[in-house]
C-alpha cells in the first residue's frame, strides 16, 4: 500500500499472485475477472488453454489487418510489375506480348505473402506494445520463474477498484505466494541523449537521398563517378583519338606501305566505281548549260567487261538470287517480300516498296549509277558490295538493262514470224503485228 | 474428464493389452518423469553452459566446421577474383554444380517450414520437440542456398541489379523470368522463415533472460526477447499471429520450391519441360529436408540428453514422413518415364534412356538406389526405431537427392536437341570444395545456434504436456520435491490432451 | 471443453429409413440415364454427321457419350475422394475424423454402380470399335495419326478392359476392406482392427495413387490422344478430393439434422472439414496453374493445343469462370474461420465447390467433342451445352446416390466402436 505523503516511497506497481499449476491459475483468473478489475493480467510460461474466456480477453483484430495488407500486396505485386515491365520501360522479349499476366503471378504471390507475413509479425509487436525492455515485473525476482514453470496473476494498483486487502484475498486461494511488485524506480523513458542521436541519424540518412535528388536535377560538366569500372575504360585505340602507342600520337594509322586494305583496290575506276575514268567523282567538274554539273556516271560498261550471252546468263542468275526477292523476277517490284509487305501494310512501319526497275526513272539512270546503287544501296535498300563481286554486279546491271529492253518492246512492231514463235501461253497476252487486243 | 471406455470389457489397463501401439492411447510426447521445471532445465541448460566450460565435442566440431568455412572463403575469393571459368561449367552444360547445390540446399530448408507450419496446422503435437532446430536448419540452409546464385552471376559486385531499385538507366528486371521469380521466392522465404523462427524464440529467449546469471547474457537475451513477460493478453495476439504465419508459410513452402522447379520446367529442354515438376520438387524437398533433420537430431538428442523430449516416436514419425515423400518422388519418376513413352516425343524418350544408360548412368542409379530403394526399409517399424539405420538412411537420402538434381540438370543439358552441341561435364576442384565449404557454413551456424540459443521450443513442448491442461495431472512438481503429491498425469503412458 | 463426454448409444446413431430415399434416387437415376440415351437418338440432338471416318455413331450419341463421361468422372471423383479420405485417416492415425469417417466409407459404395457405368459407357463401345468418345478407338484414326498409332500398345480395347477391371477391383476391394473392418468394429470394438487397417493403409495409399493416376489417363487424358501431361493424375486427384470434402460437409450436416450425428459431430469437426475444403481448393488451383503455366511458357504446339481449345474463342468464358470461380472466390470465401464454423455458410460453399468441380470436369472433357470433327474448331463452336448434360448428371448421381444410401441404411452413422472415438468427440480447434 502506498504512503502517498512520503517523498521516498512510491506506489507499488501491483500485487502478484504466483501459482504452481494451471487449474489454480484459471480459478484465480476467473475470480479476478468476476470482481470487475480492468488493469490486470496473467503471466504464463506458455499460452494456457482456456485463459482467454477465463480472463475475458477479446479477439484481436490482427487477422483483419493481415487480410488488408495481403490484398494490398496483391495489388502492389501486379501493378508494380505492370508498371516496370509494360509501362515504365516496356520490355520486349522475342516479340511476345508486352503484358501477359500468367508470367507475373509467381512474383505477385510472393509479394502478397511477404506483405502479409511482415504485417502479422510487426502488427503483433505493435499491438502488444513490444519491445518494452523496461517493466516493473522484470525487477521482481520471484517473477523470474513465470517464464519457466510458474503462473502469475498481476493486478495493478492503478486499477480503480484496487484495494490491497481485497486483492490479497482474491489472489491467495491456491497461490504459492502473493508478492508485492514495487514500482520501477529507474526512469522508464528513453535516455535524453537518445533523442538527439536519433534526430542526427535521421538527418544523416536523408543526405544520400538529397544527393540523389540533386543529381537528377542538376547538370554537370564533370564525368560521372564510376564505382565499378569493369570494362568502361579500356586500353585500346579508338578512331580519331590520341594514342600514346605511336610516335605521331595518332590512333588512326595509314596502311602499311606496300599493302592494300581489303576492298580498297582502285585499279580501274570505271570497273570499281562506275564513274568515268578521268573523273574523281560522279559529279564532275564540267557544268552543263543550266549550270548543273554534268553527271559522270558511266553510261556504258567498263572496258574490262565483255557483255555477251554468258555474261547475261550470269547476270540473270545473280539477279534471281539476290534481287528478285524484292524486285521480282521481272524486275517489276513485285517480289515475294514486296508482296508480303503489301499484305501486312508494312509501310506503316517505315517500309519503302522496292522499286519497279522497268519504270522510266530507273531506265533513265546510267549504268554506273545502277552499279553504284547495287553496291551501296539507296534509301532503305542495303548495298550488296560485301556479297556480290564487282564483275557480278556489272552482270546484274546488264541483266536489268536486258529486262528493261525486253519489257519495253512493242510487240506490234515485231515481225510476224517472230510473233508466231512465241510460246502458246503467251500468244493471247501479247499483241501481235496483225492482231487486235492483247496487251 | 471421464469417458466410458468402450474397450473396458476387453480387460487390462490401457497399454497393457496390445502393447505400445494400442490405438486407444496416444504415446506420451515427453517421456520419463518430467515436468515444466525439468524440461526447462534440460533445454535451457545447454546454452547456459559458461563459455569457458564449453563441451570439448562442440569445440572439436566447431573447429572442423570453421575449417570447412575457411575452405569456402578461399574458393569464393578465388572465384570472384578469377571468374566463373574456374568451375566446370561448359557449353552446353551452363548450369553445373552451383545450381545443383542451390536446389539441394533450398530443398533441405523446406522441411523446417513444413514442420513449423504445416504440422502446426494439422495439430501434430510431436512437432514441438523438433520445430525450433528444424526452423534454424531452414534459415541456415537457405543462407547456403542463396550464396550459390549470388556468386554464380559472374560480376557479383553488380548483383544488386537483381533487385527492383530505381537506377540511372531506368531499367528494371525482367519479371517474366523464372530466375527473377527465384530471387523473390527465396528472399521472401528467407525473411518469412526468419520472422517465424525468431517469433517462436521470443518466449524461450525470455526464459533464458530470466534464468541468466551474468550481466551480458541478461542484456543480450533481454534485448532479443523484447521484454516479453508472458502476459496472457500478449499470448493471445502472439498465438493468433503464429497461426496466421503458419497459414502463410504453408503456401509459401509450396510456392518456393515450385518456383525453383519453374527454372527448369518452363524451358523446352527435354527432361525438364514437364508439368509434374512443381509438386515433385516440393515432395523431394521435404524428403531431403526431413532426412537432414534426422541427421541432425539423432546425434543432438544423444549428446545433449534430450532423448526424453525427442523420443523414438518422433524419429518413427519422421521416418514415415520421409518414406511418404520419397514415394511421391518415386511417383514423379514413374510419371515422367511413362509420359516420355506415352507422349511419343522422341527427344524426351531419348533423354530418359540416356539418363539410365548413357554416360551419367552411374549418377542415375545412385539416385534410384538412394531415393527409391533404400527408404523402403522404413516399412519395417524396427528399422524406423533403429537409430543407426535411420542415421545412415538419412545420409543416403540426401546423397540421393543431390544426385537427383545433378541428373536433372547435367544429363539434360549435356545431351539436348543438337548432337553437335553435346559435351560431357566434369566438376573442378573449385566446384567440389565450394560444396564442401557450404557444409562448413551450415555447420558453423548450426553449432553456434546449438551453443547459444534454445534448441527446443520449450514453451511449445510445455503446451503438449498433460499438466498444461486444466483438470489433468494437477500439480507441477517443484524441482526440490522428488515425489510430488497427486501426480496423476505423469505415468509413462499418460494420455495427451485432446487436440485431435 | 472439459465437459463430460459419453459415447452415444448405438441405437441413437443408427441410420434408418434410408431405403425409400435410396429407391427414389435409383428411379430418378434410371430415368435420367434413359432420358439421356433417348435424347441422343432423337432428332433434337443435332445434325447427324458423316460418320464413316471418325465415328460409328451419329453425332448426337457422341455428345451423349461425352455428357455421360463428364457425369461419371464427377461422381467417380467424389467416390475416390472418399476412399482417399478413409485410407488417409488410417495412415495418419487421425483422431479428429473418427466421427465422420463412416461418411467417407459410405460414399465409396458409389464405386459399384460406377463400375457398371464405366463398363457400359466407356469400355464396351471401345471394344466394339466405336470412337464415339475416344478417337483412338477407331483404327482408321489411329492409322492416320502416328502419335496415336504409337500409343497402341497401351490404348487398345482389350488392355483397357483389363485395366478398368483392375482399377475397380482394387478400389472396391480396398473400400470393402476398410468398411467391413470398421463395421465389424462397431460390433466387437476390437482395437486390433484399427491396427490392421493402419497397417494396410500404407500399401493401400500407394496402390490408390497409381490406380487413380492411370484411371485418369484412361478415362480423361486420352480424350485428346495427342496430348500428355505428367501432372494430370494429380490434377484429377485434387479436384476429386475437393469435391469429396464438399460432399462430406453436406452429408454430415444432413445426418446431424436427422439426429444421428446430433451432439456427436460438432462445429470443431466442420471447421476441420472446412479447412480441408479450403486446402484442396488451393491445391487444385496450384496444380491447375502449374500445368497451365509450364505449357504456356514453353509454348510448344503439341502441348498448348489442349489449352488452345479451352482458352480461346467461345471457351474463354469458361476458362475465366474457372480461374475466378474455382480459385479466387472460394479461396476468399473459405479463408475465414467464421465461415468454416457456420454450418449454413459452409454448406453453401460445399455446393458451390461441387458445381465448380462439375464445370472443371466439363472443361476438361467437352472441348474434345468437337476436336477432330472436320470443320469444327472447339474454340469457334464453344461449349456444346445440351439437356443431356443435365440428364446425364442426374442419371449418374441418382444411381450412385442409391448405392450410397443403401450402404448407409441400417448402419451406424459413425464408427461407434472405434477406440479413438472419445478423442474425436472432444477435440477443440485453434
Amino acid at each position: 500500500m502506498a504512503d502517498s505523503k512520503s517523498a521516498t516511497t512510491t506506489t507499488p506497481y501491483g500485487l502478484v499472485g504466483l501459482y504452481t499449476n494451471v487449474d489454480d491459475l484459471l480459478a484465480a483468473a476467473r475470480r479476478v475477472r468476476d470482481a470487475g478489475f480492468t488493469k490486470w493480467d496473467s503471466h504464463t510460461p506458455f499460452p494456457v488453454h482456456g485463459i482467454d474466456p477465463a480472463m475475458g480477453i477479446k479477439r484481436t483484430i490482427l487477422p483483419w489487418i493481415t487480410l488488408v495488407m495481403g490484398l494490398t500486396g496483391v495489388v502492389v505485386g501486379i501493378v508494380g510489375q505492370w508498371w516496370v515491365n509494360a509501362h515504365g520501360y516496356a520490355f520486349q522479349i522475342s516479340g511476345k506480348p508486352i503484358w501477359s499476366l500468367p508470367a507475373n503471378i509467381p512474383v505477385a504471390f510472393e509479394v502478397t505473402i511477404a506483405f502479409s507475413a511482415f504485417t502479422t509479425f510487426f502488427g503483433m509487436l505493435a499491438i502488444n506494445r513490444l519491445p518494452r525492455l523496461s517493466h516493473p515485473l522484470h525487477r521482481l525476482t520471484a517473477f523470474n520463474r513465470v517464464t519457466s514453470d510458474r503462473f502469475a496473476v498481476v493486478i495493478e494498483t492503478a486499477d480503480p477498484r484496487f484495494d490491497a486487502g481485497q486483492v490479497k484475498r482474491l489472489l491467495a486461494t491456491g497461490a504459492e505466494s502473493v508478492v508485492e511488485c514495487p514500482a520501477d524506480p529507474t526512469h522508464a523513458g528513453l535516455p535524453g541523449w537518445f533523442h538527439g542521436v536519433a534526430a542526427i541519424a535521421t538527418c544523416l540518412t536523408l543526405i544520400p537521398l538529397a544527393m540523389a535528388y540533386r543529381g537528377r536535377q542538376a547538370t554537370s560538366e564533370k564525368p560521372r563517378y564510376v564505382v565499378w569500372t569493369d570494362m568502361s575504360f579500356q586500353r585500346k585505340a579508338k578512331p580519331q583519338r590520341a594514342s600514346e602507342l605511336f610516335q605521331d600520337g595518332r590512333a588512326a594509322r595509314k596502311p602499311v606501305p606496300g599493302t592494300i586494305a581489303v576492298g580498297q583496290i582502285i585499279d580501274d575506276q570505271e570497273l570499281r566505281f562506275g564513274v568515268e575514268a578521268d573523273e574523281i567523282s560522279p559529279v564532275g567538274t564540267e557544268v552543263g548549260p543550266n549550270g548543273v554539273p554534268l553527271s559522270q556516271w558511266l553510261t556504258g560498261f567498263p572496258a574490262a567487261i565483255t557483255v555477251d550471252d554468258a555474261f547475261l546468263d550470269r547476270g540473270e542468275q545473280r539477279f534471281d538470287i539476290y534481287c528478285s526477292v524484292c524486285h521480282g523476277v521481272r524486275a517489276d517490284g513485285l517480289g515475294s517480300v514486296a508482296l508480303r509487305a503489301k499484305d501486312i501494310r508494312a509501310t506503316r512501319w517505315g517500309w519503302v516498296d522496292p522499286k519497279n526497275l522497268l519504270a522510266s526513272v530507273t531506265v533513265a539512270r546510267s549504268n554506273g549509277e545502277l552499279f553504284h546503287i547495287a553496291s551501296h544501296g539507296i534509301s532503305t535498300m542495303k548495298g550488296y558490295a560485301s556479297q556480290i563481286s564487282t564483275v557480278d554486279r556489272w552482270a546484274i546491271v546488264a541483266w536489268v538493262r536486258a529486262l528493261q529492253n525486253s519489257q519495253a518492246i512493242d510487240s506490234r512492231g515485231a515481225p510476224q514470224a517472230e510473233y508466231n514463235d512465241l510460246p502458246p501461253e503467251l500468244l493471247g497476252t501479247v499483241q501481235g503485228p496483225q492482231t487486235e487486243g492483247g496487251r | 474428464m471421464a469417458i466410458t471406455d468402450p474397450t473396458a470389457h476387453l480387460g487390462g489397463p490401457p497399454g497393457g493389452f496390445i502393447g505400445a501401439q494400442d490405438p486407444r492411447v496416444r504415446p506420451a510426447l515427453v517421456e520419463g518423469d518430467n515436468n515444466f521445471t525439468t524440461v526447462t532445465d534440460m533445454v535451457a541448460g545447454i546454452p547456459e553452459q559458461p563459455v569457458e566450460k564449453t563441451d570439448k565435442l562442440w569445440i572439436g566440431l566447431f573447429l572442423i566446421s570453421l575449417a570447412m568455412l575457411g575452405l569456402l572463403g578461399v574458393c569464393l575469393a578465388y572465384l570472384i577474383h578469377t571468374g566463373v571459368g574456374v568451375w566446370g561449367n561448359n557449353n552446353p552444360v551452363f548450369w553445373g554444380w552451383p545450381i545443383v547445390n542451390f536446389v539441394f540446399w533450398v530443398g533441405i530448408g523446406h522441411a523446417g517450414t513444413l514442420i513449423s507450419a504445416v504440422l502446426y496446422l494439422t495439430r501434430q503435437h510431436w512437432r514441438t520437440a523438433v520445430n525450433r532446430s528444424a526452423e534454424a536448419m531452414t534459415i541456415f540452409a537457405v543462407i547456403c542456398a542463396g550464396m550459390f546464385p549470388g556468386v554464380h552471376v559472374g560480376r557479383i559486385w553488380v548483383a544488386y541489379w537483381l533487385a527492383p531499385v530505381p537506377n540511372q538507366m531506368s531499367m528494371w528486371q525482367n519479371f517474366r523470368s523464372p530466375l527473377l521469380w527465384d530471387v523473390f521466392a527465396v528472399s521472401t522465404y528467407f525473411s518469412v522463415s526468419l520472422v517465424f523462427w525468431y517469433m517462436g524464440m521470443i518466449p524461450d529467449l525470455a526464459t533464458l533472460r530470466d534464468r541468466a546469471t551474468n550481466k551480458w547474457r541478461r542484456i543480450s537475451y533481454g534485448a532479443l526477447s523484447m521484454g516479453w513477460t508472458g502476459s496472457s493478453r500478449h499470448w493471445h495476439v502472439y498465438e493468433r499471429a503464429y497461426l496466421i504465419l503458419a497459414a502463410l508459410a504453408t503456401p509459401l513452402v509450396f510456392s518456393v520450391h515450385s518456383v525453383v522447379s519453374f527454372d527448369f520446367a518452363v524451358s523446352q529442354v527435354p527432361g525438364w519441360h514437364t508439368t509434374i515438376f512443381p509438386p515433385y520438387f516440393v515432395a523431394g524437398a521435404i524428403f531431403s529436408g526431413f532426412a537432414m533433420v534426422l541427421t541432425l537430431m539423432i546425434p543432438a538428442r544423444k549428446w545433449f540428453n534430450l532423448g526424453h523430449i525427442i523420443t523414438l516416436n518422433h524419429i518413427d514419425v519422421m521416418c514415415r514422413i520421409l518414406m511418404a515423400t520419397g514415394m511421391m518422388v518415386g511417383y514423379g519418376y514413374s510419371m515422367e518415364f511413362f509420359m516420355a513413352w506415352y507422349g511419343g516425343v522422341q527427344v524426351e524418350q531419348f533423354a530418359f534412356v540416356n539418363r539410365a544408360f548413357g554416360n551419367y548412368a552411374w549418377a542415375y542409379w545412385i539416385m534410384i538406389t538412394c531415393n527409391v530403394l533404400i527408404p523402403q526399409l522404413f516399412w519395417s517399424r524396427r528399422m524406423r526405431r533403429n537409430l543407426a539405420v535411420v542415421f545412415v538412411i538419412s545420409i543416403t537420402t540426401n546423397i540421393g537427392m543431390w544426385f537427383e538434381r545433378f541428373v536433372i540438370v547435367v544429363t539434360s543439358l549435356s545431351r539436348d536437341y543438337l548432337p553437335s552441341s553435346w559435351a560431357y561435364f566434369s566438376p573442378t576442384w573449385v566446384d567440389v570444395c565450394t560444396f564442401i565449404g557450404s557444409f562448413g557454413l551450415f555447420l558453423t551456424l548450426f553449432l553456434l545456434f546449438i551453443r547459444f540459443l534454445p534448441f527446443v521450443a520449450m514453451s511449445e513442448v510445455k503446451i503438449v504436456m498433460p499438466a498444461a491442461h486444466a483438470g489433468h495431472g494437477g500439480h507441477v512438481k517443484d524441482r526440490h520435491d522428488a515425489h510430488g503429491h497427486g501426480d496423476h498425469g505423469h505415468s509413462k503412458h499418460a494420455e495427451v490432451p485432446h487436440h485431435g | 471443453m472439459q465437459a463430460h463426454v459419453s459415447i452415444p448409444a448405438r441405437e441413437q446413431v443408427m441410420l434408418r429409413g434410408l431405403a425409400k430415399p435410396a429407391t427414389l434416387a435409383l428411379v430418378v437415376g434410371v430415368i435420367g440415364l434413359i432420358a439421356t440415351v433417348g435424347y441422343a437418338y432423337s432428332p433434337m440432338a443435332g445434325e447427324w454427321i458423316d460418320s464413316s471416318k471418325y465415328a460409328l455413331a451419329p453425332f448426337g450419341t457422341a455428345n451423349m457419350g461425352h455428357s455421360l463421361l463428364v457425369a461419371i468422372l464427377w461422381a467417380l471423383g467424389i467416390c475416390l475422394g472418399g476412399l482417399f479420405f478413409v485410407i488417409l485417416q488410417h495412415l495418419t492415425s487421425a483422431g479428429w475424423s473418427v466421427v465422420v469417417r463412416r461418411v467417407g466409407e459410405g460414399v465409396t459404395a458409389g464405386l459399384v454402380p460406377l463400375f457398371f457405368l464405366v463398363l457400359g459407357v466407356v469400355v464396351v463401345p471401345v471394344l466394339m470399335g466405336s470412337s464415339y468418345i475416344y478417337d483412338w478407338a477407331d483404327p482408321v484414326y489411329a492409322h492416320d495419326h502416328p502419335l496415336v498409332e504409337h500409343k497402341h500398345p497401351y490404348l487398345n480395347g482389350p488392355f483397357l478392359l483389363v485395366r478398368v477391371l483392375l482399377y475397380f477391383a482394387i478400389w472396391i476391394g480396398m473400400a470393402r476392406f476398410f468398411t467391413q473392418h470398421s463395421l465389424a468394429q462397431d460390433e466387437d470394438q476390437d482395437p486390433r482392427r484399427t491396427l490392421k487397417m493402419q497397417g494396410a493403409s500404407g500399401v493401400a495409399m500407394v496402390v490408390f495413387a497409381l490406380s487413380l493416376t492411370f484411371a485418369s489417363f484412361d478415362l480423361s487424358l486420352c480424350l485428346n490422344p495427342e496430348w500428355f501431361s505428367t501432372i494430370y493424375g494429380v490434377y484429377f486427384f485434387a479436384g476429386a478430393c475437393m469435391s469429396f470434402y464438399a460432399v462430406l460437409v453436406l452429408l454430415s450436416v444432413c445426418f446431424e439434422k436427422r439426429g444421428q450425428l446430433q451432439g456427436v459431430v460438432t462445429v470443431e469437426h466442420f471447421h476441420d472439414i472446412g479447412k480441408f475444403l479450403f486446402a484442396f481448393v488451393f491445391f487444385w488451383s496450384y496444380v491447375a496453374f502449374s500445368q497451365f503455366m509450364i505449357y504456356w511458357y514453353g509454348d510448344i504446339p503439341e502441348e498448348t493445343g489442349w489449352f488452345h481449345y479451352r482458352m480461346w474463342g467461345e471457351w474463354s468464358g469458361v476458362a475465366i469462370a474457372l480461374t475466378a470461380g474455382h480459385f479466387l472466390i472460394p479461396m476468399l470465401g473459405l479463408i475465414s474461420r467464421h465461415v468454416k464454423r457456420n454450418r449454413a455458410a459452409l454448406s453453401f460453399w460445399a455446393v458451390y465447390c461441387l458445381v465448380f468441380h462439375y464445370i472443371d470436369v466439363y472443361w476438361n472433357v467437352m472441348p474434345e467433342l468437337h476436336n477432330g470433327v472436320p470443320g469444327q474448331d472447339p474454340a469457334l463452336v464453344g461449349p456444346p451445352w445440351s439437356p443431356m448434360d443435365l440428364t446425364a448428371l442426374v442419371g449418374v448421381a441418382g444411381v450412385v446416390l442409391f448405392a450410397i444410401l443403401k450402404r448407409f441404411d441400417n448402419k451406424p452413422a459413425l464408427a461407434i466402436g472405434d477406440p479413438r472415438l472419445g478423442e474425436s468427440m472432444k477435440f477443440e480447434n485453434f
Side-chain angles (χ1 to χ4, degrees), chain B residues 126 286-287 290-291 293-295 298 311-327 374-394 397:
Chain B
W126 59 269
I286 299 168
F287 183 48
F290 267 86
V293 170
L294 285 167
T295 308
I298 290 174
T311 67
L312 274 182
N313 294 322
H314 292 83
I315 307 281
D316 189 325
V317 170
M318 287 197 277
C319 288
R320 279 190 272 153
I321 294 181
L322 193 98
M323 226 181 54
T325 47
M327 300 286 224
I374 294 182
Q376 300 303 316
L377 285 170
F378 283 152
W379 282 105
S380 152
R381 188 163 183 271
R382 274 191 37 224
M383 290 289 112
R384 295 197 295 264
R385 297 172 91 91
N386 178 328
L387 292 177
V389 169
V390 174
F391 185 73
V392 168
I393 294 186
S394 69
T397 298

Side-chain angles (χ1 to χ4, degrees), chain A residues 235-295:
Chain A
R235 297 189 53 170
K236 65 182 185 188
K238 291 186 180 168
Q240 311 288 331
R241 294 283 179 94
S243 168
E244 66 207 21
L245 282 172
F246 300 99
Q247 229 177 12
D248 60 5
R250 279 199 234 144
R253 315 302 303 163
K254 286 206 169 80
V256 175
T259 64
I260 300 177
V262 171
Q264 294 300 315
I265 289 184
I266 311 173
D267 51 352
D268 180 341
Q269 180 165 288
E270 286 187 355
L271 183 66
R272 302 284 169 205
F273 296 112
V275 175
E276 297 286 349
D278 50 347
E279 298 295 329
I280 47 175
S281 88
V283 180
T285 45
E286 288 174 42
V287 177
N290 53 1
V292 174
L294 289 173
S295 163

Side-chain angles (χ1 to χ4, degrees), chain C residues 17-31 398-399 401-403 405-406 409:
Chain C
L18 287 178
K20 262 233 192 88
T23 319
L24 179 64
L26 180 64
V27 166
V28 169
V30 169
I31 292 177
V399 297
L401 193 59
F402 157 71
L405 292 174
K406 271 297 295 278
D409 198 24

Side-chain angles (χ1 to χ4, degrees), chain C residues 263-279:
Chain C
V264 178
V265 116
T266 65
V267 72
E268 312 293 343
H269 298 99
F270 284 111
H271 189 174
D272 266 5
I273 301 174
K275 283 191 221 168
F276 273 104
L277 190 59
F278 174 79

Side-chain angles (χ1 to χ4, degrees), chain B residues 326-350:
Chain B
M327 300 286 224
M328 291 184 212
V329 170
Y331 173 89
Y333 294 156
S334 29
M335 283 307 109
E336 286 184 306
F337 206 77
F338 175 75
M339 279 302 166
W341 172 79
Y342 178 88
V345 181
Q346 283 134 333
V347 277
E348 196 81 19
Q349 290 168 348
F350 170 76

